Amino acid sequence: MKIISVEAFPFSLPTRRDFRWAGMLGELGNFVAVRIETENGVVGYGEATPLPDWGGDFARHGGETLGTVINIIRTVIAPALVGQDVTAVTSAAQIMDRVAVGNVYAKCAVSIALYDAWGKCVGLPVYKLLGGKVRDSVPVAHMVGLMPEADALEEAVMAVEDGVSCLQIKGGTDAERDIRLIGALRARLGDGVTLRLDANQGYGHAKTATATVRRLVDAGVSLVEQPTEGLRYMAEVTAASPVPIIADESCWDVNDALDVLSARAADCISVYLAKAGGIAGACKVADLAAASLMQCDVNGSIESAIGTAANVHFALARPAVSLGAVIAISAPKGQHPYRVAGHYYDDDILAEPMQVSNGAILPLDAPGLGITIDEDKLSAFRCDK
């Protein structure tokens, strides 16, 4: 099952509306596709969704772009992997770490493609390669981006009407706005909906962040994600908070997770395949969290169908990943099951829509990632022609 080629190229998808969060300068919907082909004709697909303006605490992680991901894959990773066994994913991860420091988005895209090809080679979906599913579906938490309060309220209400019971509300740029919005949402939606406010480190010093979290609790928030920056400040806020605090920017890989646990800096961890450098790295984070009785979610930068499928397989197979997943529900144009919930792009590169039930994505049971890529669409959405 030797690898004969590793390709990387950019593509983009049309968004349903503008989605933003604190500190975000670019646009959603821009990706790097990775295509790995083996000597027996099996093709595996991977994806990266790099954002140069988003990263870890104190800019210690992140900074990758479409260009850097493509370049490092083409010039460094691909030459090192050609000729390797596509099913030897652990060895491939070691090779990538040896030839390139950091560059976790690039490594993640290749990792996803390797798992897709491996699953296709043996006729199994990726979640079975990860040990089998521990849940029957993946509940989706719809992201409500930074937008005027009336628009955010409308977006959230429509998503709940579609069937989701968890919302991630982007905030962090104006605490008073966030408190008003959470209060309005709780009054409108009642107690049956989980309201998760994501501040993207926006509430400043620990004392300020702690006071803001307390007011958000009074307004009806269920969880608060990354209210401040740095483990010391996060630990102060977590110790004082009556609701769970989620670490996102503060926790990228398993080493960060160990530091978060040691500092008691959060109650939950938001896991990205990309932050951990791929599927295996994300599993390490989730398994450490499980051993520490911490809940996780699977999150990202709203991937296309390739990255979303990888997220679904990961969430199906890891016990700790029990919080609502902040991921897309992928579907071709005109076939999305919902008006709003999980509906970020007007079109996608898969041939058939993902199946859902009550706001949750059902298992993808075909071999590999379990989706069929529409090659014509992928070609049409390429950005390098």
Side-chain angles (χ1 to χ4, degrees), residues 203-254:
Y203 293 149
H205 189 279
K207 288 186 180 296
T208 304
T210 296
T212 301
V213 168
R214 286 174 176 160
R215 293 180 64 195
L216 286 166
V217 171
D218 291 340
V221 82
S222 308
L223 308 95
V224 179
E225 181 178 343
Q226 199 69 43
T228 186
E229 184 172 19
L231 298 187
R232 182 164 64 90
Y233 282 180
M234 284 285 287
E236 289 185 43
V237 177
T238 298
S241 174
V243 299
I245 300 297
I246 304 173
D248 182 358
E249 286 92 339
S250 289
C251 185
W252 280 55
D253 55 20
V254 69

CSV table of all heavy atoms in Angstrom, one decimal, residues 203-254:
chain,number,residue,atom,x,y,z
A,203,TYR,N,-12.0,38.7,27.5
A,203,TYR,CA,-12.4,39.4,28.7
A,203,TYR,C,-11.2,39.9,29.6
A,203,TYR,O,-11.5,40.4,30.7
A,203,TYR,CB,-13.3,38.5,29.5
A,203,TYR,CG,-14.7,38.3,28.9
A,203,TYR,CD1,-15.3,37.1,29.1
A,203,TYR,CD2,-15.2,39.2,28.0
A,203,TYR,CE1,-16.6,36.8,28.5
A,203,TYR,CE2,-16.5,39.0,27.4
A,203,TYR,CZ,-17.1,37.8,27.6
A,203,TYR,OH,-18.3,37.5,27.0
A,204,GLY,N,-10.0,39.9,29.1
A,204,GLY,CA,-8.9,40.5,29.7
A,204,GLY,C,-8.4,39.9,31.0
A,204,GLY,O,-8.4,38.7,31.2
A,205,HIS,N,-8.0,40.7,32.0
A,205,HIS,CA,-7.5,40.3,33.2
A,205,HIS,C,-8.4,39.4,34.0
A,205,HIS,O,-9.6,39.4,33.8
A,205,HIS,CB,-7.2,41.5,34.1
A,205,HIS,CG,-6.4,41.3,35.3
A,205,HIS,ND1,-7.0,40.8,36.5
A,205,HIS,CD2,-5.1,41.4,35.6
A,205,HIS,CE1,-6.0,40.6,37.4
A,205,HIS,NE2,-4.9,41.0,36.9
A,206,ALA,N,-7.8,38.5,34.8
A,206,ALA,CA,-8.6,37.5,35.5
A,206,ALA,C,-9.8,38.1,36.3
A,206,ALA,O,-10.9,37.5,36.4
A,206,ALA,CB,-7.7,36.7,36.4
A,207,LYS,N,-9.5,39.2,37.0
A,207,LYS,CA,-10.6,39.8,37.8
A,207,LYS,C,-11.7,40.3,36.9
A,207,LYS,O,-12.9,40.1,37.3
A,207,LYS,CB,-10.0,41.0,38.7
A,207,LYS,CG,-9.1,40.5,39.8
A,207,LYS,CD,-8.7,41.7,40.7
A,207,LYS,CE,-7.8,41.3,41.8
A,207,LYS,NZ,-8.5,40.4,42.7
A,208,THR,N,-11.4,40.9,35.8
A,208,THR,CA,-12.4,41.4,34.9
A,208,THR,C,-13.2,40.2,34.3
A,208,THR,O,-14.4,40.2,34.2
A,208,THR,CB,-11.8,42.2,33.8
A,208,THR,OG1,-11.1,43.3,34.4
A,208,THR,CG2,-12.9,42.8,32.9
A,209,ALA,N,-12.4,39.2,33.9
A,209,ALA,CA,-13.1,38.0,33.3
A,209,ALA,C,-13.9,37.3,34.3
A,209,ALA,O,-15.0,36.8,34.0
A,209,ALA,CB,-12.0,37.1,32.8
A,210,THR,N,-13.5,37.2,35.6
A,210,THR,CA,-14.3,36.5,36.6
A,210,THR,C,-15.6,37.3,36.8
A,210,THR,O,-16.7,36.6,36.9
A,210,THR,CB,-13.5,36.4,37.9
A,210,THR,OG1,-12.3,35.6,37.7
A,210,THR,CG2,-14.3,35.8,39.0
A,211,ALA,N,-15.5,38.6,36.9
A,211,ALA,CA,-16.7,39.4,37.1
A,211,ALA,C,-17.7,39.2,35.9
A,211,ALA,O,-18.9,39.1,36.1
A,211,ALA,CB,-16.4,40.8,37.3
A,212,THR,N,-17.2,39.2,34.7
A,212,THR,CA,-18.0,39.0,33.5
A,212,THR,C,-18.7,37.7,33.5
A,212,THR,O,-19.9,37.6,33.2
A,212,THR,CB,-17.2,39.3,32.3
A,212,THR,OG1,-16.6,40.6,32.3
A,212,THR,CG2,-18.0,39.1,31.0
A,213,VAL,N,-17.9,36.6,33.8
A,213,VAL,CA,-18.5,35.3,33.9
A,213,VAL,C,-19.6,35.2,34.9
A,213,VAL,O,-20.7,34.6,34.6
A,213,VAL,CB,-17.4,34.2,34.2
A,213,VAL,CG1,-18.0,32.9,34.5
A,213,VAL,CG2,-16.4,34.1,33.0
A,214,ARG,N,-19.5,35.8,36.0
A,214,ARG,CA,-20.5,35.8,37.0
A,214,ARG,C,-21.8,36.4,36.5
A,214,ARG,O,-22.9,36.0,36.7
A,214,ARG,CB,-20.0,36.4,38.3
A,214,ARG,CG,-19.1,35.6,39.1
A,214,ARG,CD,-18.5,36.3,40.3
A,214,ARG,NE,-17.6,35.5,41.1
A,214,ARG,CZ,-16.7,35.9,41.9
A,214,ARG,NH1,-16.5,37.2,42.1
A,214,ARG,NH2,-16.0,35.1,42.6
A,215,ARG,N,-21.6,37.5,35.8
A,215,ARG,CA,-22.8,38.2,35.2
A,215,ARG,C,-23.4,37.4,34.1
A,215,ARG,O,-24.6,37.4,33.9
A,215,ARG,CB,-22.4,39.6,34.7
A,215,ARG,CG,-22.0,40.6,35.9
A,215,ARG,CD,-21.6,41.9,35.3
A,215,ARG,NE,-22.8,42.6,34.7
A,215,ARG,CZ,-22.7,43.6,33.9
A,215,ARG,NH1,-21.5,44.1,33.6
A,215,ARG,NH2,-23.7,44.2,33.4
A,216,LEU,N,-22.6,36.7,33.3
A,216,LEU,CA,-23.1,35.8,32.3
A,216,LEU,C,-23.9,34.7,32.9
A,216,LEU,O,-25.0,34.2,32.4
A,216,LEU,CB,-22.0,35.2,31.5
A,216,LEU,CG,-21.3,36.2,30.5
A,216,LEU,CD1,-20.0,35.6,29.9
A,216,LEU,CD2,-22.3,36.5,29.3
A,217,VAL,N,-23.4,34.1,34.1
A,217,VAL,CA,-24.2,33.1,34.8
A,217,VAL,C,-25.5,33.6,35.2
A,217,VAL,O,-26.6,32.9,35.1
A,217,VAL,CB,-23.4,32.6,36.0
A,217,VAL,CG1,-24.2,31.7,36.8
A,217,VAL,CG2,-22.1,31.9,35.5
A,218,ASP,N,-25.6,34.8,35.7
A,218,ASP,CA,-26.8,35.4,36.2
A,218,ASP,C,-27.8,35.6,35.0
A,218,ASP,O,-29.0,35.5,35.1
A,218,ASP,CB,-26.6,36.8,36.8
A,218,ASP,CG,-25.9,36.7,38.2
A,218,ASP,OD1,-25.9,35.6,38.7
A,218,ASP,OD2,-25.3,37.7,38.6
A,219,ALA,N,-27.2,35.8,33.8
A,219,ALA,CA,-28.0,36.0,32.6
A,219,ALA,C,-28.5,34.7,32.0
A,219,ALA,O,-29.4,34.7,31.2
A,219,ALA,CB,-27.2,36.7,31.5
A,220,GLY,N,-27.9,33.5,32.4
A,220,GLY,CA,-28.3,32.2,32.0
A,220,GLY,C,-27.4,31.4,31.2
A,220,GLY,O,-27.8,30.4,30.5
A,221,VAL,N,-26.1,31.8,31.2
A,221,VAL,CA,-25.1,31.0,30.4
A,221,VAL,C,-24.9,29.6,31.0
A,221,VAL,O,-25.1,29.4,32.2
A,221,VAL,CB,-23.8,31.8,30.3
A,221,VAL,CG1,-22.9,31.6,31.5
A,221,VAL,CG2,-23.0,31.4,29.0
A,222,SER,N,-24.6,28.7,30.1
A,222,SER,CA,-24.4,27.3,30.6
A,222,SER,C,-22.9,27.0,30.7
A,222,SER,O,-22.5,26.2,31.6
A,222,SER,CB,-25.0,26.3,29.6
A,222,SER,OG,-26.3,26.6,29.3
A,223,LEU,N,-22.1,27.4,29.8
A,223,LEU,CA,-20.7,27.2,29.8
A,223,LEU,C,-20.0,28.5,29.2
A,223,LEU,O,-20.6,29.2,28.4
A,223,LEU,CB,-20.2,26.0,28.9
A,223,LEU,CG,-20.9,24.7,29.1
A,223,LEU,CD1,-22.0,24.5,28.2
A,223,LEU,CD2,-19.8,23.5,28.9
A,224,VAL,N,-18.8,28.7,29.6
A,224,VAL,CA,-18.0,29.8,29.0
A,224,VAL,C,-16.7,29.3,28.5
A,224,VAL,O,-15.9,28.6,29.2
A,224,VAL,CB,-17.7,31.0,30.0
A,224,VAL,CG1,-16.9,32.1,29.4
A,224,VAL,CG2,-19.0,31.5,30.6
A,225,GLU,N,-16.4,29.6,27.2
A,225,GLU,CA,-15.2,29.1,26.5
A,225,GLU,C,-14.2,30.2,26.5
A,225,GLU,O,-14.4,31.4,26.0
A,225,GLU,CB,-15.6,28.7,25.1
A,225,GLU,CG,-14.4,28.1,24.3
A,225,GLU,CD,-14.9,27.7,22.9
A,225,GLU,OE1,-16.1,27.5,22.7
A,225,GLU,OE2,-14.0,27.5,22.0
A,226,GLN,N,-13.0,29.9,26.9
A,226,GLN,CA,-11.8,30.7,26.8
A,226,GLN,C,-12.1,32.2,27.2
A,226,GLN,O,-11.9,33.1,26.3
A,226,GLN,CB,-11.1,30.6,25.5
A,226,GLN,CG,-9.7,31.1,25.4
A,226,GLN,CD,-8.7,30.1,26.2
A,226,GLN,OE1,-8.8,28.9,26.1
A,226,GLN,NE2,-7.8,30.7,26.9
A,227,PRO,N,-12.5,32.5,28.4
A,227,PRO,CA,-12.8,33.9,28.8
A,227,PRO,C,-11.5,34.8,28.8
A,227,PRO,O,-11.7,36.0,28.7
A,227,PRO,CB,-13.4,33.8,30.1
A,227,PRO,CG,-12.9,32.5,30.7
A,227,PRO,CD,-12.7,31.6,29.5
A,228,THR,N,-10.4,34.2,29.0
A,228,THR,CA,-9.2,35.0,29.2
A,228,THR,C,-8.0,34.3,28.6
A,228,THR,O,-8.2,33.2,28.0
A,228,THR,CB,-8.9,35.4,30.6
A,228,THR,OG1,-7.8,36.3,30.7
A,228,THR,CG2,-8.6,34.2,31.5
A,229,GLU,N,-6.8,34.8,28.7
A,229,GLU,CA,-5.6,34.2,28.1
A,229,GLU,C,-4.6,33.8,29.1
A,229,GLU,O,-4.3,34.5,30.1
A,229,GLU,CB,-4.9,35.3,27.2
A,229,GLU,CG,-3.8,34.8,26.4
A,229,GLU,CD,-3.3,35.8,25.4
A,229,GLU,OE1,-3.6,37.0,25.5
A,229,GLU,OE2,-2.6,35.4,24.4
A,230,GLY,N,-4.0,32.6,28.9
A,230,GLY,CA,-3.0,32.1,29.8
A,230,GLY,C,-3.5,31.2,30.9
A,230,GLY,O,-4.6,31.5,31.5
A,231,LEU,N,-2.7,30.2,31.3
A,231,LEU,CA,-3.2,29.3,32.3
A,231,LEU,C,-3.4,29.9,33.7
A,231,LEU,O,-4.3,29.5,34.4
A,231,LEU,CB,-2.2,28.1,32.4
A,231,LEU,CG,-2.0,27.3,31.1
A,231,LEU,CD1,-1.1,26.1,31.4
A,231,LEU,CD2,-3.3,26.8,30.5
A,232,ARG,N,-2.6,30.9,34.1
A,232,ARG,CA,-2.8,31.5,35.4
A,232,ARG,C,-4.1,32.2,35.5
A,232,ARG,O,-4.8,32.0,36.5
A,232,ARG,CB,-1.6,32.4,35.7
A,232,ARG,CG,-1.7,33.1,37.1
A,232,ARG,CD,-0.3,33.7,37.4
A,232,ARG,NE,0.0,34.8,36.5
A,232,ARG,CZ,-0.3,36.1,36.8
A,232,ARG,NH1,-1.0,36.4,37.8
A,232,ARG,NH2,0.1,37.0,35.9
A,233,TYR,N,-4.4,33.0,34.5
A,233,TYR,CA,-5.7,33.7,34.5
A,233,TYR,C,-6.8,32.7,34.4
A,233,TYR,O,-7.9,32.9,35.0
A,233,TYR,CB,-5.7,34.8,33.4
A,233,TYR,CG,-4.9,36.0,33.7
A,233,TYR,CD1,-4.9,37.1,32.8
A,233,TYR,CD2,-4.3,36.2,34.9
A,233,TYR,CE1,-4.2,38.2,33.0
A,233,TYR,CE2,-3.6,37.4,35.2
A,233,TYR,CZ,-3.5,38.4,34.2
A,233,TYR,OH,-2.8,39.6,34.5
A,234,MET,N,-6.7,31.8,33.5
A,234,MET,CA,-7.8,30.8,33.3
A,234,MET,C,-8.1,30.1,34.6
A,234,MET,O,-9.2,29.8,34.9
A,234,MET,CB,-7.4,29.8,32.1
A,234,MET,CG,-7.5,30.4,30.7
A,234,MET,SD,-9.2,30.5,30.2
A,234,MET,CE,-9.6,28.8,29.9
A,235,ALA,N,-7.0,29.7,35.3
A,235,ALA,CA,-7.2,29.0,36.5
A,235,ALA,C,-8.0,29.8,37.6
A,235,ALA,O,-8.8,29.3,38.3
A,235,ALA,CB,-5.9,28.5,37.1
A,236,GLU,N,-7.7,31.1,37.6
A,236,GLU,CA,-8.4,32.0,38.6
A,236,GLU,C,-9.9,32.0,38.2
A,236,GLU,O,-10.7,32.0,39.1
A,236,GLU,CB,-7.8,33.4,38.5
A,236,GLU,CG,-6.4,33.5,39.2
A,236,GLU,CD,-5.9,34.9,39.2
A,236,GLU,OE1,-6.7,35.8,39.6
A,236,GLU,OE2,-4.7,35.1,38.9
A,237,VAL,N,-10.2,32.2,36.9
A,237,VAL,CA,-11.6,32.3,36.5
A,237,VAL,C,-12.3,31.0,36.7
A,237,VAL,O,-13.4,30.9,37.2
A,237,VAL,CB,-11.6,32.7,35.0
A,237,VAL,CG1,-13.1,32.7,34.5
A,237,VAL,CG2,-11.0,34.1,34.8
A,238,THR,N,-11.6,29.9,36.4
A,238,THR,CA,-12.2,28.5,36.6
A,238,THR,C,-12.5,28.3,38.0
A,238,THR,O,-13.6,27.8,38.4
A,238,THR,CB,-11.3,27.4,36.0
A,238,THR,OG1,-11.1,27.7,34.6
A,238,THR,CG2,-11.8,26.1,36.3
A,239,ALA,N,-11.6,28.6,38.9
A,239,ALA,CA,-11.9,28.4,40.4
A,239,ALA,C,-13.1,29.2,40.9
A,239,ALA,O,-13.8,28.7,41.8
A,239,ALA,CB,-10.6,28.8,41.2
A,240,ALA,N,-13.3,30.3,40.3
A,240,ALA,CA,-14.4,31.2,40.8
A,240,ALA,C,-15.7,31.0,40.1
A,240,ALA,O,-16.7,31.5,40.5
A,240,ALA,CB,-14.0,32.7,40.7
A,241,SER,N,-15.7,30.2,39.0
A,241,SER,CA,-16.9,30.1,38.1
A,241,SER,C,-17.9,29.0,38.6
A,241,SER,O,-17.4,27.9,38.8
A,241,SER,CB,-16.5,29.8,36.7
A,241,SER,OG,-17.6,29.6,35.9
A,242,PRO,N,-19.1,29.3,38.7
A,242,PRO,CA,-20.1,28.3,39.0
A,242,PRO,C,-20.5,27.4,37.8
A,242,PRO,O,-21.3,26.4,38.0
A,242,PRO,CB,-21.3,29.0,39.5
A,242,PRO,CG,-21.2,30.4,38.9
A,242,PRO,CD,-19.7,30.6,38.7
A,243,VAL,N,-20.1,27.8,36.6
A,243,VAL,CA,-20.4,27.0,35.4
A,243,VAL,C,-19.1,26.5,34.8
A,243,VAL,O,-18.0,27.1,35.1
A,243,VAL,CB,-21.2,27.8,34.3
A,243,VAL,CG1,-22.5,28.3,34.9
A,243,VAL,CG2,-20.4,29.0,33.8
A,244,PRO,N,-19.1,25.5,34.0
A,244,PRO,CA,-17.8,25.0,33.4
A,244,PRO,C,-17.1,26.0,32.5
A,244,PRO,O,-17.8,26.7,31.8
A,244,PRO,CB,-18.3,23.7,32.6
A,244,PRO,CG,-19.5,23.3,33.3
A,244,PRO,CD,-20.2,24.6,33.7
A,245,ILE,N,-15.8,26.0,32.6
A,245,ILE,CA,-15.0,26.8,31.7
A,245,ILE,C,-14.3,25.9,30.8
A,245,ILE,O,-13.7,24.9,31.2
A,245,ILE,CB,-13.9,27.6,32.5
A,245,ILE,CG1,-14.6,28.6,33.5
A,245,ILE,CG2,-13.0,28.4,31.6
A,245,ILE,CD1,-15.5,29.6,32.9
A,246,ILE,N,-14.3,26.3,29.5
A,246,ILE,CA,-13.7,25.4,28.4
A,246,ILE,C,-12.4,26.1,28.0
A,246,ILE,O,-12.4,27.3,27.7
A,246,ILE,CB,-14.6,25.3,27.2
A,246,ILE,CG1,-16.0,24.7,27.7
A,246,ILE,CG2,-14.0,24.4,26.1
A,246,ILE,CD1,-17.0,24.7,26.5
A,247,ALA,N,-11.3,25.3,27.9
A,247,ALA,CA,-10.1,25.8,27.3
A,247,ALA,C,-10.0,25.5,25.8
A,247,ALA,O,-10.3,24.3,25.4
A,247,ALA,CB,-8.9,25.1,28.0
A,248,ASP,N,-9.8,26.5,25.0
A,248,ASP,CA,-9.6,26.3,23.6
A,248,ASP,C,-8.2,26.8,23.2
A,248,ASP,O,-7.3,26.0,23.0
A,248,ASP,CB,-10.7,27.1,22.8
A,248,ASP,CG,-10.6,26.9,21.3
A,248,ASP,OD1,-9.7,26.2,20.8
A,248,ASP,OD2,-11.5,27.4,20.6
A,249,GLU,N,-8.0,28.1,23.1
A,249,GLU,CA,-6.7,28.6,22.7
A,249,GLU,C,-5.6,28.1,23.7
A,249,GLU,O,-4.4,28.0,23.3
A,249,GLU,CB,-6.7,30.1,22.6
A,249,GLU,CG,-7.4,30.7,21.4
A,249,GLU,CD,-8.9,31.0,21.7
A,249,GLU,OE1,-9.5,30.4,22.6
A,249,GLU,OE2,-9.5,31.8,20.9
A,250,SER,N,-6.0,27.9,24.9
A,250,SER,CA,-5.0,27.5,25.9
A,250,SER,C,-4.6,26.0,25.8
A,250,SER,O,-3.6,25.6,26.4
A,250,SER,CB,-5.6,27.7,27.3
A,250,SER,OG,-5.6,29.0,27.7
A,251,CYS,N,-5.3,25.2,24.9
A,251,CYS,CA,-5.0,23.8,24.8
A,251,CYS,C,-4.9,23.4,23.4
A,251,CYS,O,-6.0,23.2,22.8
A,251,CYS,CB,-6.0,23.0,25.6
A,251,CYS,SG,-5.5,21.2,25.7
A,252,TRP,N,-3.8,23.1,22.9
A,252,TRP,CA,-3.6,22.6,21.5
A,252,TRP,C,-3.3,21.1,21.5
A,252,TRP,O,-4.1,20.4,20.9
A,252,TRP,CB,-2.5,23.4,20.8
A,252,TRP,CG,-2.9,24.7,20.3
A,252,TRP,CD1,-3.5,25.7,21.1
A,252,TRP,CD2,-2.9,25.3,19.0
A,252,TRP,NE1,-3.9,26.8,20.3
A,252,TRP,CE2,-3.5,26.5,19.0
A,252,TRP,CE3,-2.4,24.8,17.8
A,252,TRP,CZ2,-3.6,27.3,17.9
A,252,TRP,CZ3,-2.5,25.6,16.7
A,252,TRP,CH2,-3.1,26.8,16.7
A,253,ASP,N,-2.3,20.7,22.1
A,253,ASP,CA,-1.9,19.3,22.0
A,253,ASP,C,-1.9,18.6,23.3
A,253,ASP,O,-2.3,19.2,24.3
A,253,ASP,CB,-0.5,19.1,21.3
A,253,ASP,CG,0.6,19.9,22.0
A,253,ASP,OD1,0.4,20.3,23.2
A,253,ASP,OD2,1.6,20.2,21.3
A,254,VAL,N,-1.4,17.4,23.4
A,254,VAL,CA,-1.5,16.6,24.7
A,254,VAL,C,-0.6,17.3,25.7
A,254,VAL,O,-0.9,17.2,26.9
A,254,VAL,CB,-1.1,15.2,24.4
A,254,VAL,CG1,0.3,15.0,24.1
A,254,VAL,CG2,-1.5,14.3,25.6
